[in-house]
Amino acid sequence: MKTGVIGLGAMGSGMALNLHKAGHLHGVWNRTRSKAAAIAGKTGAILYESPADLAPDCELILLCVSRDADVLEMVEQVAATAGSGSIVVDTSTVSSNTAVLAAEKLAKTGVAFLDCPVSGGVEGARKGTLAMMAGGDPAVLARAEGALMSIAANITLVGTTGSGQACKAVNQIMCAGVNQAVTEALAFGEAMGLDMHKVVDVVAKGAAGNWFLDHRGKTMLADDNDTGFKLNLHHKDLTICKAMMGGLDNVTLPLVDTTLRQYEQLMEQGYGDEDISALYRLKRPAPVD
């Protein structure tokens, strides 16, 4: 399926390369042209001048951008030129309302839309092992699934348009909880004077084992927070979670509230571009003089 990728950051570039390996990648565009040029050079894909230029040449258009406004801007350009019957798949993390607005705008020109946020981190994007949470028409997903299987090991249709983003919000809240639990527990272990590399090894094999501990445990101990999911983006996602609740009175998110405050503290200190494991900076014991 002739696929164009719009947005080639850490996640989008990995997805584009896997689409190329499976024979689907046709063209690319990125706001920072050098990133798109690098992918085009590696794959032979066409480097387009704008999303509007890319859209009419592709059957499937995959978006991977950062924020709600970015998604709607890209959809505006794509809707102006995409052929009727083409499909836009948004893998960004935005609000359910934004997904519905995007679908409505594209439907006016006969273009289908799926909100398909993903989880699995930069590693999953590189390996093609992402988990994809889809919202939209089952028949549309069936048409796109062959190409999407090259970037995701698990694709689940959660419900109608917007459901994928609501499911991703669940995922992001869980990630906040896991981050809080792992960083707090490791800080306790370090305060006890334990050999923390041994602690990570043994705990990872027991009931408390989890992806975050496996992939970030030892890097955070080494104060290496360069690889992974940027803290400022998780802050953005958790803000979306709060907004999606709207006027609901029967659910509270105290863990999200705490995490947002702590992330804001780290962002003020200049750590917003680090992995979310940078939360350990606030919890680890202060060095003894």
Side-chain angles (χ1 to χ4, degrees):
M1 195 172 198
K2 289 174 66 176
T3 302
V5 177
I6 295 173
L8 296 162
M11 297 293 290
S13 59
M15 288 189 273
L17 291 172
N18 282 311
L19 284 163
H20 166 66
K21 290 174 187 175
H24 296 293
L25 186 64
H26 178 73
V28 293
W29 181 86
N30 191 72
R31 204 181 298 273
T32 302
R33 183 179 174 85
S34 59
K35 292 183 179 180
I39 296 296
K42 288 180 181 179
T43 64
I46 297 172
L47 174 58
Y48 284 92
E49 294 299 318
S50 72
D53 289 334
L54 176 149
D57 292 344
C58 298
E59 302 163 277
L60 178 67
I61 301 152
L62 188 131
L63 308 181
C64 187
V65 295
S66 296
R67 301 182 186 277
D68 293 57
D70 298 327
V71 169
L72 294 177
E73 180 188 350
M74 296 303 104
V75 164
E76 188 78 32
Q77 292 197 47
V78 168
T81 60
S84 179
S86 58
I87 302 170
V88 172
V89 172
D90 180 29
T91 66
S92 317
T93 299
V94 296
S95 72
S96 294
N97 287 341
T98 294
V100 172
L101 285 173
E104 290 173 349
K105 186 175 294 290
L106 290 163
K108 293 176 182 177
T109 58
V111 179
F113 177 82
L114 297 167
D115 59 298
C116 294
V118 295
S119 181
V122 175
E123 295 93 336
R126 289 173 181 162
K127 296 176 183 177
T129 57
L130 294 166
M132 179 174 284
M133 312 152 205
D137 186 333
V140 175
L141 179 60
R143 287 171 51 207
E145 197 164 22
L148 296 180
M149 286 175 64
S150 66
I151 63 176
N154 182 280
I155 302 171
T156 300
L157 181 65
V158 182
T160 57
T161 302
S163 298
Q165 293 297 349
C167 184
K168 181 61 183 290
V170 172
N171 183 87
Q172 299 307 77
I173 294 169
M174 286 189 182
C175 286
V178 171
N179 191 9
Q180 289 285 358
V182 171
T183 53
E184 188 167 306
L186 294 188
F188 172 82
E190 192 166 346
M192 293 294 100
L194 300 175
D195 181 329
M196 294 307 297
H197 284 263
K198 290 182 178 178
V199 169
V200 169
D201 287 340
V202 68
V203 171
K205 295 178 175 63
N210 61 79
W211 186 98
F212 189 69
L213 181 63
D214 287 343
H215 291 80
R216 301 290 181 262
K218 291 184 179 179
T219 56
M220 77 173 74
L221 292 173
D223 201 24
D224 176 7
N225 304 303
D226 291 338
T227 302
F229 182 31
K230 289 185 179 182
L231 186 145
N232 58 16
L233 291 180
H234 197 203
H235 180 275
K236 179 266 296 184
D237 294 350
L238 294 177
T239 302
I240 289 172
C241 294
K242 293 277 291 182
M244 285 173 63
M245 288 182 61
L248 295 177
D249 297 324
N250 59 340
V251 178
T252 60
L253 300 174
L255 187 144
V256 169
D257 292 334
T258 298
T259 305
L260 283 170
R261 287 195 300 271
Q262 292 174 339
Y263 281 0
E264 285 158 13
Q265 183 178 346
L266 288 162
M267 289 160 66
E268 289 171 1
Q269 295 172 8
Y271 301 123
D273 285 335
E274 292 193 346
D275 181 77
I276 63 171
S277 56
L279 183 61
Y280 195 54
R281 291 180 182 277
L282 297 184
K283 300 191 177 188
R284 70 187 313 168
V288 178
D289 293 333

